[in-house]
Amino acid sequence: PLVFAPLSEVFGRKPIYCVSIFFYFIFTLPGALAPNRATLIVSRGLAGVAASAPMCNVGGSVADIWAVKERGFPMAVFSATIFLGPCLGPLFGGWIGEKAGWRWIYWVLLIFVGACFIFTLIVPETLASVILRRKAQKLRKETGDDKYQTLGELEAQPLFQTLKVAISRPLIMMVMEPIVLFMSFYLSFIYALLYLLFFAFPFAFQGIRGWSAGMTGVSFISVMIGMLIAICAMSYQEKLYAKVTRDGSFPEARLYPMMLGAIILPISMFIFAFTGAYASVHWMGVCVSGAVFGFAMIILYIGANSYIIDSYSNFAASAIAAKTLMRSCIGSSIPLFVTQMFSAMKFQFAGLLLALVACVIGPMPFIFYRFGERIRCNSKRATKARRGQGFKGDSNAKH
């Protein structure tokens, strides 16, 4: 993401999507044909790197296409798909692996990725600077008049310097921008919880209740139900956002769902900790916690993602890339300790620890709602929109 996102802000969104999904398709094939574990691990690692572009660039595409007040629902759909995918994986993968063998999981994935690559070939470019540059090039070619120049072309720097600045931008933003840093940390914790469920649900259903792998995958439907309810509830958030920003938009108006989710998330983890650990407790208890968690996760993610994009409209892809890097690093570390954690601490106390961490970081969206405007006004990259003034005259928010 540290490379794909800034490159998309230089060369456009479409070329990066095409290259990313093409290599994802290529590196998925060795997984289906892998003769040993080493081949499987290497191919999955390369496929993961190749597939990282959509995770960070879609936020930039949303900022390209929709105006500030219209981004709520597109961001809800994007945020939901990020988490619905990992939940659909165990649901389908469990049955495919059980009935047809694990290699068919990769064959099915290969077919799906191939279809996605075809779609990237027909997706139009959305980045305004690239569209304008192409229009200027076309006019120069048709008229032979070199006066048709974009501002970007007139102020163009050497390609190496442009790439150097663009590629370093996500890291700089993650270190220097408090909004990016702390929101990335919060969302990384949410993402880590989702991956923890991939291990904790088998503990609760296979290990404690004796379910099969296929039926354990079905239990993830509860998480998806919570997600879908959250998407439906976002229509209310859009009405609230329109009401609050009547005198002008400001990024903190996106934090209302996140503040609600910060309260609901620890509740879901407390339920999970003290229902999943005991075979005598009906399995519906665990599924209820999964649904509540899915609801909280989506409204948290939508609020935070929208807040980041509205705060850094001109650098949305780089800001999302910084968040994606931290989230992916923390998420990828989960398999290294989660089994030992639940085995050594016991199920209920491991779940209790996660619930308490959720309580500790819960005040973060409330803090940004109160002080976010002051933080943005001290930033060189963030929008300077204020409550009651909106984005009027703000060059960072003309999208």
Side-chain angles (χ1 to χ4, degrees), residues 117-332:
F117 174 67
I118 294 173
F119 281 118
T120 63
L121 297 177
I122 60 176
V123 170
E125 180 58 62
T126 62
L127 188 63
S129 59
V130 172
I131 295 173
L132 193 62
R133 184 172 69 240
R134 291 175 180 174
K135 185 176 181 179
Q137 290 172 346
K138 182 179 179 182
L139 288 171
R140 290 198 297 268
K141 183 177 180 181
E142 291 175 348
T143 64
D145 190 345
D146 290 338
K147 72 179 181 181
Y148 294 103
Q149 299 278 339
T150 67
L151 181 62
E153 290 174 319
L154 292 174
E155 298 178 349
Q157 294 180 334
L159 180 61
F160 176 78
Q161 180 66 21
T162 301
L163 293 178
K164 180 181 177 181
V165 172
I167 291 175
S168 63
R169 187 184 297 135
L171 282 175
I172 293 173
M173 293 182 72
M174 185 164 61
V175 175
M176 301 300 294
E177 299 291 339
I179 292 175
V180 176
L181 175 61
F182 288 103
M183 285 294 171
S184 298
F185 174 77
Y186 199 110
L187 293 180
S188 297
F189 176 70
I190 304 300
Y191 206 66
L193 287 180
L194 178 63
Y195 274 87
L196 279 163
L197 289 187
F198 295 155
F199 293 88
F201 265 43
F203 266 103
F205 291 111
Q206 285 181 264
I208 296 175
R209 290 168 174 81
W211 288 21
S212 67
M215 284 304 299
T216 300
V218 172
S219 67
F220 281 91
I221 292 178
S222 63
V223 182
M224 289 188 283
I225 290 173
M227 294 179 184
L228 294 175
I229 294 173
I231 295 174
C232 295
M234 287 308 295
S235 60
Y236 176 76
Q237 155 62 13
E238 289 304 289
K239 294 177 182 177
L240 179 61
Y241 179 82
K243 180 180 179 180
V244 173
T245 60
R246 192 174 300 160
D247 297 325
S249 300
F250 58 97
E252 284 71 32
R254 297 290 188 188
L255 290 175
Y256 291 109
M258 192 176 182
M259 289 188 284
L260 175 62
I263 297 172
I264 297 176
L265 180 66
I267 296 174
S268 70
M269 298 313 299
F270 280 119
I271 297 173
F272 180 71
F274 294 104
T275 57
Y278 307 101
S280 58
V281 178
H282 197 276
W283 56 267
M284 276 298 295
V286 188
C287 290
V288 167
S289 72
V292 176
F293 170 75
F295 179 84
M297 176 174 61
I298 291 300
I299 62 176
L300 280 164
Y301 204 85
I302 290 172
N305 247 10
S306 300
Y307 182 52
I308 292 172
I309 289 174
D310 281 9
S311 297
Y312 302 94
S313 293
N314 281 357
F315 307 105
S318 291
I320 296 297
K323 178 210 69 178
T324 302
L325 174 68
M326 183 183 294
R327 187 193 69 192
S328 299
C329 289
I330 293 178
S332 64

Side-chain angles (χ1 to χ4, degrees), residues 348-361:
Q348 63 270 40
F349 295 112
L352 177 62
L353 175 63
L354 298 174
L356 294 175
V357 173
C359 289
V360 170
I361 66 174

Side-chain angles (χ1 to χ4, degrees), residues 21-175:
I21 300 301
F22 174 75
F23 281 106
Y24 184 29
F25 176 79
I26 294 299
F27 290 126
T28 298
L29 181 60
L33 302 173
N36 51 53
R37 292 181 180 179
T39 304
L40 184 61
I41 292 172
V42 171
S43 65
R44 294 310 298 153
L46 293 172
V49 171
S52 63
M55 300 295 288
C56 52
N57 287 3
V58 171
S61 297
V62 170
D64 295 339
I65 299 170
W66 282 278
V68 173
K69 290 190 174 183
E70 299 171 347
R71 289 177 191 162
F73 184 73
M75 282 307 305
V77 174
F78 167 52
S79 300
T81 55
I82 289 177
F83 293 109
L84 281 172
C87 292
L88 288 170
L91 175 60
F92 292 112
W95 288 114
I96 293 172
E98 190 174 308
K99 302 297 182 180
W102 66 268
R103 290 186 187 275
W104 266 101
I105 296 174
Y106 293 101
W107 287 120
V108 172
L109 179 61
L110 184 70
I111 295 169
F112 179 75
V113 175
C116 291
F117 174 67
I118 294 173
F119 281 118
T120 63
L121 297 177
I122 60 176
V123 170
E125 180 58 62
T126 62
L127 188 63
S129 59
V130 172
I131 295 173
L132 193 62
R133 184 172 69 240
R134 291 175 180 174
K135 185 176 181 179
Q137 290 172 346
K138 182 179 179 182
L139 288 171
R140 290 198 297 268
K141 183 177 180 181
E142 291 175 348
T143 64
D145 190 345
D146 290 338
K147 72 179 181 181
Y148 294 103
Q149 299 278 339
T150 67
L151 181 62
E153 290 174 319
L154 292 174
E155 298 178 349
Q157 294 180 334
L159 180 61
F160 176 78
Q161 180 66 21
T162 301
L163 293 178
K164 180 181 177 181
V165 172
I167 291 175
S168 63
R169 187 184 297 135
L171 282 175
I172 293 173
M173 293 182 72
M174 185 164 61
V175 175

